[in-house]
Amino acid sequence: MTTETKLPFDNGFVSSFSKEMSEPAWFEEFRLKALNDFDQLPMPRPDKTKIDKWNFTQFNQHTVKSDVYASLAELPEEVKSLVDVDAEMKNLYIQRNQTPAFLSLSEDLKSKGVIFTDIFTAAREHGDLLKKYYMTQAINVDEHRLTALHTALVNGGVFLYVPKNVEITEPIQAVYVHDNAEANLFNHVIVVADDNSSVTYVENYISTMETSNALVNILTEVIANVNAKVQYGAVDTLARGITTYVNRRGVAGRDSRIEWALGLMNEGNTISENTTNLLGDGSFGDTKTVVVGRGEQTQNFTTKVVHFGKHTVGNILNHGVVKDSATSIFNGIGKIEHGASKSDAEQTSRVLMLSEKARGDANPILLIDEDDVVAGHAASVGRVDPVQLYYLMSRGIPKSEAERLVIHGFLAPVVTQLPIEGVKKQLTEVIERKVR
């Protein structure tokens, strides 16, 4: 059963915006169908988190106008620290609220056929290629209301395509700057690695204000075709008061690899889904996630690896820290479908609670529909290990510093995986600030 929700925007607005952005007809049709399907679809139901009172649909402005950055020297200092301003060769996209504000792609990668551009330019200039991957393999429009709402109202995002046999050794970076409290983000990110290619993509969501009542609805689709490799890093640091729904999903072809390193550090209520579908035989999926919750925020994180192909391997590692009155729920799901013989599904979820009122929950789930497989899980929720604290304090380290070191060590598996030094440093500083 669904209940009707009155949206602030209608078909006329959506059609007008699509034409203003010079989108191809198929893109506009996608939007309108999604908007018309919205009321018939249910809301998502994250396990152990009630979201019926959360605001995902009511807001005043679909887009805000922002100035572009003529050069990286104009970036706010907190954004400058994420990028190598002095590097001669940059593969970098910066979006300011909904405005594509800076783009740089090396001539070498352009000559090899690499496409890296904002989602609207991709729709206009690479429409046939975008259409092949846009919500056709990873995420479906009609999964629930939030996927339909996103599709109808997409107002930002990026398209990265790596052609067959192209191996990119330097990271590709996208930074989404949220510096207007009225800006609501409906970003769509697509990363495609064609056969025998490889790429590392790193993105940052960063708010430059402390509080905002904005809505954020992000969909990411990662496609790794035959024998391709995608390393995907993300650090999300959106402001207090922002309600966020983020769904990052990958599809792995035969002998391909998708590796996620996610630092989820938003200050507001957040629903995060991260799924890797191992379709091809011999494919590999690995997800490492770190989270710090504080204040009164509620967060729900579902990490899922689904094995369809034979000889597939899926690993999940979730580490979370919760303090004050915050609540963080971790759902780890390893699913092996019938026919996915010789597959291996492993997961570990661990939560540290730093306050009496903090609530952490780790829910490991294994769903096995095949006999000849390996699967395992581990989960723990508790306080900082007193043995570790005692060891450090016995070496003359004060208790507060010892606790800080234990927490950093606990979250290190993801921090060390991020390939851009500025992003790694930012995540370390955010963790330091949030657990202080």
Side-chain angles (χ1 to χ4, degrees):
M1 179 180 177
T2 59
T3 56
E4 186 173 347
T5 300
K6 185 171 178 57
L7 294 174
F9 305 104
D10 58 13
N11 282 16
F13 174 86
V14 169
S15 184
S16 175
F17 178 75
S18 183
K19 287 179 171 57
E20 180 185 337
M21 303 307 293
S22 302
E23 295 172 359
W26 68 265
F27 205 95
E28 180 182 352
E29 290 166 6
F30 240 71
R31 288 183 181 275
L32 293 174
K33 184 179 186 309
L35 189 65
N36 291 332
D37 288 347
F38 174 84
D39 264 331
Q40 281 68 54
L41 297 171
M43 284 291 287
R45 292 184 176 179
D47 193 34
K48 298 188 177 182
T49 301
K50 294 186 67 175
I51 62 170
D52 53 313
K53 300 290 174 57
W54 293 23
N55 177 27
F56 290 103
T57 60
Q58 301 304 307
F59 53 95
N60 294 322
Q61 286 187 272
H62 177 246
T63 54
V64 298
K65 299 296 183 184
S66 303
D67 294 333
V68 302
Y69 300 114
S71 73
L72 296 181
E74 297 181 2
L75 293 174
E77 288 302 318
E78 59 263 53
V79 180
K80 273 185 189 176
S81 66
L82 301 176
V83 302
D84 189 350
V85 176
D86 299 322
E88 292 184 14
M89 302 299 291
K90 300 181 187 69
N91 300 308
L92 173 66
Y93 170 71
I94 301 177
Q95 180 178 303
R96 186 176 185 183
N97 303 309
Q98 294 96 16
T99 301
F102 184 89
L103 176 64
S104 176
L105 183 65
S106 72
E107 291 301 322
D108 177 55
L109 293 186
K110 289 179 184 177
S111 69
K112 293 176 179 177
V114 174
I115 298 169
F116 183 48
T117 189
D118 68 90
I119 199 75
F120 299 115
T121 299
R124 291 190 296 266
E125 299 182 4
H126 309 282
D128 289 343
L129 186 61
L130 180 67
K131 186 178 181 181
K132 180 179 178 181
Y133 296 104
Y134 187 79
M135 304 192 83
T136 61
Q137 299 183 37
I139 300 174
N140 296 319
V141 177
D142 59 357
E143 292 187 16
H144 48 67
R145 283 189 175 186
L146 297 186
T147 53
L149 182 68
H150 169 96
T151 307
L153 299 180
V154 170
N155 59 12
V158 75
F159 178 57
L160 170 59
Y161 174 76
V162 184
K164 293 180 180 179
N165 304 313
V166 173
E167 297 185 10
I168 301 178
T169 56
E170 294 297 316
I172 305 283
Q173 186 176 11
V175 181
Y176 302 96
V177 181
H178 183 246
D179 65 3
N180 185 323
E182 300 298 317
N184 302 286
L185 305 182
F186 290 83
N187 284 352
H188 199 98
V189 176
I190 299 183
V191 177
V192 179
D194 220 329
D195 297 353
N196 305 307
S197 68
S198 65
V199 65
T200 297
Y201 168 84
V202 179
E203 68 182 11
N204 290 83
Y205 282 88
I206 180 169
S207 294
T208 60
M209 79 287 292
E210 288 191 7
T211 62
S212 168
N213 291 321
L215 307 181
V216 173
N217 184 322
I218 301 164
L219 297 188
T220 291
E221 303 183 277
V222 173
I223 312 296
N225 286 333
V226 175
N227 197 39
K229 180 180 180 181
V230 177
Q231 292 179 285
Y232 193 109
V235 178
D236 301 346
T237 54
L238 293 168
R240 186 171 67 252
I242 294 177
T243 301
T244 299
Y245 171 74
V246 55
N247 187 334
R248 294 178 168 114
R249 189 175 300 175
V251 177
R254 177 171 54 82
D255 296 324
S256 67
R257 298 174 67 93
I258 299 178
E259 301 174 11
W260 308 87
L262 308 176
L264 306 180
M265 301 288 153
N266 293 337
E267 296 286 0
N269 292 343
T270 299
I271 300 296
S272 171
E273 300 179 41
N274 176 227
T275 302
T276 307
N277 291 322
L278 303 176
L279 296 186
D281 293 351
S283 55
F284 175 89
D286 182 88
T287 301
K288 294 182 174 70
T289 304
V290 293
V291 174
V292 178
R294 66 174 179 175
E296 297 182 350
Q297 70 180 141
T298 298
Q299 301 184 96
N300 186 291
F301 307 95
T302 298
T303 307
K304 184 176 183 180
V305 179
V306 186
H307 302 250
F308 295 93
K310 296 178 174 62
H311 298 275
T312 54
V313 176
N315 297 317
I316 296 172
L317 177 67
N318 294 325
H319 279 193
V321 174
V322 194
K323 61 178 290 191
D324 303 327
S325 299
T327 298
S328 293
I329 308 295
F330 294 87
N331 305 301
I333 305 172
K335 191 172 193 300
I336 300 180
E337 300 285 359
H338 181 66
S341 57
K342 306 293 184 182
S343 292
D344 186 355
E346 305 290 341
Q347 60 171 291
T348 301
S349 295
R350 302 194 186 283
V351 183
L352 279 182
M353 294 185 294
L354 304 185
S355 309
E356 288 296 327
K357 293 183 178 180
R359 182 193 168 199
D361 213 339
N363 307 306
I365 301 168
L366 290 174
L367 304 170
I368 312 297
D369 198 22
E370 179 60 52
D371 295 329
D372 189 12
V373 299
V374 176
H377 64 74
S380 67
V381 178
R383 309 289 176 186
V384 174
D385 187 344
V387 175
Q388 291 178 322
L389 285 181
Y390 177 79
Y391 175 83
L392 292 170
M393 292 169 65
S394 69
R395 266 61 182 172
I397 299 173
K399 182 179 179 181
S400 59
E401 177 67 9
E403 187 173 75
R404 187 186 71 84
L405 290 172
V406 170
I407 292 169
H408 278 278
F410 179 72
L411 300 177
V414 169
V415 178
T416 57
Q417 292 295 309
L418 292 167
I420 296 176
E421 203 58 40
V423 176
K424 190 183 299 185
K425 182 181 178 184
Q426 180 226 14
L427 179 54
T428 302
E429 291 173 350
V430 170
I431 292 171
E432 182 82 26
R433 184 176 71 245
K434 294 191 76 170
V435 302
R436 187 178 303 141

